[in-house]
Amino acid sequence: MEKTIEDPPTSAVLLDHCHFSQVIFNSVEKFYIPGGDVTCRYTFTQNFIPRQKDWIGIFRVGWKTVREYYTFMWVTLPSDLNNKSAKQQEVQFKAYYLPKDDEYYQFCYVDQDGVVRGASIPFQFRPENEEDILVVTTQEELETLQSINKKLELKVKEQKDYWETELLQLKEQNQKMSSENEKMGIRVDQLQAQLSTQEKEMEKLVQGDQDKTEQLEHLKKENGHLFLSLTEQRKDQKKLEQTVEEMKQNETTAMKKQQELMDENFDLSRRLSEKKMIYNALQREKERLEGENDLLKRENSRLLSYMGLDFNSLPYQVPTSDEGGAGQNPGLVYGNPYSGIQESSSPSQLSIKKCPICKADDICDHTLEQQQMQALCLNCPICDKIFPATEKQIFEDHVFCHSL
């Protein structure tokens, strides 16, 4: 069989001839000449409504399900079904897709559920000859009757086979019913004995029925009271449910607030931890600077005493840039303690130390200058990295990075 790109909707259900008259095929030829296109004309009946996936197929006579089509064409839906001309439609089958043998075929209209809604008379694909011209209408009817007769014979055979199968099943069921009938006879005897016993029990139950009737009346009264109580309980339950819902909403709000406070607390704790680390670092730096300051004070006292001066008697002065000459160090608070020392002083009276910059004795200004520069800088207590005092924020961020 030849098929187009998209297969049409089909069904494996056997033929159902009750729907064949809903679409009528018109002007169907007795045969069509091979090599030419074939136009199929059809008409919708009054109660039939076409749908988008309906199609017309060419079937070989004797087909049983709509899956046995040879080729097909989609149906074009009319724009207005109420128009009389819209009920008369046609499709054209191209010669390339038509059968090449001389078997009998017919058009069938199949809806989108795979149900056949109309079938045409049989036709062939063969060249025209003189015998076809001489054949009268009765001959065409005879060909149609022969086709119908074949279908009826096939249907009778199928029906016969079906009845034989049904007969065998009925015989088997009859044997089963006979066996079950014997079993049921035994079962009836057992049930009769049970019935006798139940009748005796029923008499006892009837005797106690009056007492149960009185109990039932009492229970009805109690049920009425319980119903009223249940109504009140339901009202209270609704109130409780409303209260619970409000509490849930309050709880949700409280949880959100608690989460916000926890986040804020976490942030404050993190910042506090950072501040503590910075504080500890600054505290250690302060202690280091205080120690260096004490050393500088002792050194100044030693130098002043060496010069015959008293440290406490000196006034607090910061020399300007034009005082003290070019050799004066502007970074010293009390001036240069070595300016008063005579060049002829004996070097044996001083403790000789070398300056790391100019390799001179410790009377060089570079040593004190270096100590004052260290006081104006920030040293990382972890990696000893040095930052200017003006970059305090960068120094704090650097120290915090060590804690991550």
Side-chain angles (χ1 to χ4, degrees):
M1 294 183 185
E2 296 184 4
K3 298 183 180 180
T4 57
I5 296 177
E6 180 182 1
D7 293 336
T10 59
S11 174
V13 180
L14 296 177
L15 298 181
D16 187 1
H17 295 81
C18 62
H19 302 295
F20 278 23
S21 61
Q22 294 184 355
V23 177
I24 300 173
F25 289 91
N26 306 318
S27 304
V28 179
E29 302 291 340
K30 183 175 63 176
F31 65 89
Y32 294 94
I33 299 174
D37 298 339
V38 174
T39 301
C40 173
R41 297 178 177 85
Y42 56 95
T43 304
F44 298 128
T45 58
Q46 184 176 2
N47 297 325
F48 179 74
I49 300 176
R51 291 181 288 179
Q52 185 177 5
K53 288 292 184 178
D54 292 358
W55 54 282
I56 294 176
I58 295 179
F59 291 79
R60 181 177 294 175
V61 173
W63 59 275
K64 294 183 179 180
T65 67
V66 294
R67 292 180 178 177
E68 300 177 19
Y69 66 91
Y70 186 87
T71 185
F72 80 98
M73 291 292 295
W74 294 109
V75 172
T76 303
L77 297 179
S79 58
D80 186 8
L81 291 174
N82 296 324
N83 190 354
K84 183 177 180 180
S85 61
K87 295 184 179 295
Q88 299 177 357
Q89 301 291 322
E90 65 179 36
V91 294
Q92 190 176 49
F93 290 89
K94 295 297 181 181
Y96 178 80
Y97 297 103
L98 297 176
K100 304 299 186 292
D101 54 27
D102 58 352
E103 297 289 336
Y104 282 93
Y105 293 88
Q106 63 181 148
F107 298 116
C108 290
Y109 188 102
V110 185
D111 64 10
Q112 67 179 20
D113 297 326
V115 179
V116 178
R117 300 294 180 176
S120 70
I121 62 174
F123 55 84
Q124 289 179 292
F125 294 94
R126 62 181 177 82
E128 183 179 8
N129 52 40
E130 295 180 357
E131 294 178 358
D132 296 327
I133 300 174
L134 297 176
V135 174
V136 294
T137 307
T138 55
Q139 180 66 25
E140 182 178 350
E141 294 178 352
L142 178 60
E143 289 178 1
T144 304
L145 290 174
Q146 287 178 352
S147 176
I148 295 174
N149 187 29
K150 288 181 181 179
K151 293 180 182 179
L152 291 175
E153 288 177 356
L154 290 173
K155 189 170 184 180
V156 168
K157 186 178 181 304
E158 292 175 356
Q159 190 69 30
K160 183 179 179 181
D161 294 339
Y162 175 76
W163 285 343
E164 289 178 355
T165 304
E166 288 290 326
L167 182 60
L168 291 175
Q169 292 179 354
L170 288 173
K171 286 181 179 179
E172 293 178 357
Q173 291 179 359
N174 188 22
Q175 292 177 357
K176 291 180 180 179
M177 292 296 293
S178 299
S179 176
E180 291 178 357
N181 191 19
E182 293 178 358
K183 295 179 181 179
M184 290 298 293
I186 298 172
R187 181 60 179 168
V188 167
D189 294 336
Q190 295 176 352
L191 292 174
Q192 286 180 350
Q194 293 179 1
L195 180 61
S196 177
T197 302
Q198 290 178 357
E199 286 178 350
K200 293 179 181 179
E201 293 178 353
M202 182 64 71
E203 291 178 356
K204 295 180 181 178
L205 292 174
V206 170
Q207 292 178 358
D209 183 63
Q210 184 175 1
D211 296 335
K212 289 185 178 181
T213 301
E214 294 177 356
Q215 293 178 1
L216 181 61
E217 292 295 331
H218 180 69
L219 290 174
K220 285 182 179 180
K221 293 180 181 179
E222 291 183 353
N223 190 26
H225 295 300
L226 290 175
F227 179 77
L228 295 175
S229 177
L230 180 61
T231 303
E232 296 295 331
Q233 290 180 1
R234 286 178 178 174
K235 293 180 181 179
D236 296 338
Q237 183 179 0
K238 288 183 179 179
K239 294 180 180 179
L240 290 174
E241 289 176 353
Q242 293 177 355
T243 304
V244 169
E245 186 66 24
E246 293 176 356
M247 293 177 66
K248 286 181 179 180
Q249 294 178 356
N250 294 335
E251 182 181 2
T252 303
T253 304
M255 290 178 66
K256 290 181 179 178
K257 185 64 177 177
Q258 183 181 5
Q259 185 64 34
E260 293 176 356
L261 292 174
M262 290 176 66
D263 294 340
E264 185 179 355
N265 187 28
F266 176 78
D267 184 61
L268 291 174
S269 299
R270 180 181 61 82
R271 292 171 60 186
L272 179 61
S273 178
E274 296 174 2
K275 296 297 183 182
K276 284 183 178 179
M277 293 180 64
I278 295 172
Y279 172 78
N280 292 333
L282 294 176
Q283 186 68 23
R284 289 192 295 271
E285 182 68 13
K286 178 185 176 184
E287 293 174 356
R288 185 183 66 81
L289 294 176
E290 288 178 350
E292 293 180 356
N293 191 28
D294 291 339
L295 290 175
L296 290 174
K297 287 182 178 180
R298 287 195 295 272
E299 183 68 14
N300 284 339
S301 299
R302 185 182 66 82
L303 293 173
L304 292 173
S305 61
Y306 177 77
M307 295 166 54
L309 299 176
D310 187 5
F311 176 80
N312 294 324
S313 64
L314 291 176
Y316 176 75
Q317 294 180 354
V318 178
T320 60
S321 58
D322 57 349
E323 294 179 354
Q328 188 97 13
N329 190 347
L332 297 179
V333 177
Y334 303 106
N336 188 355
Y338 303 101
S339 60
I341 302 177
Q342 296 179 356
E343 294 180 356
S344 59
S345 298
S346 176
S348 61
Q349 296 177 354
L350 299 174
S351 61
I352 305 301
K353 292 183 180 179
K354 297 292 183 181
C355 176
I357 297 176
C358 61
K359 303 301 182 179
D361 296 337
D362 60 352
I363 60 176
C364 181
D365 294 340
H366 292 96
T367 303
L368 296 177
E369 185 176 335
Q370 184 179 8
Q371 293 177 352
Q372 290 179 348
M373 288 297 294
Q374 290 180 353
L376 296 176
C377 297
L378 298 174
N379 295 337
C380 177
I382 298 175
C383 66
D384 293 331
K385 188 174 181 180
I386 301 173
F387 294 86
T390 57
E391 299 180 356
K392 182 178 181 181
Q393 183 62 42
I394 300 176
F395 167 73
E396 293 178 354
D397 295 339
H398 172 78
V399 174
F400 173 71
C401 290
H402 287 294
S403 63
L404 297 180

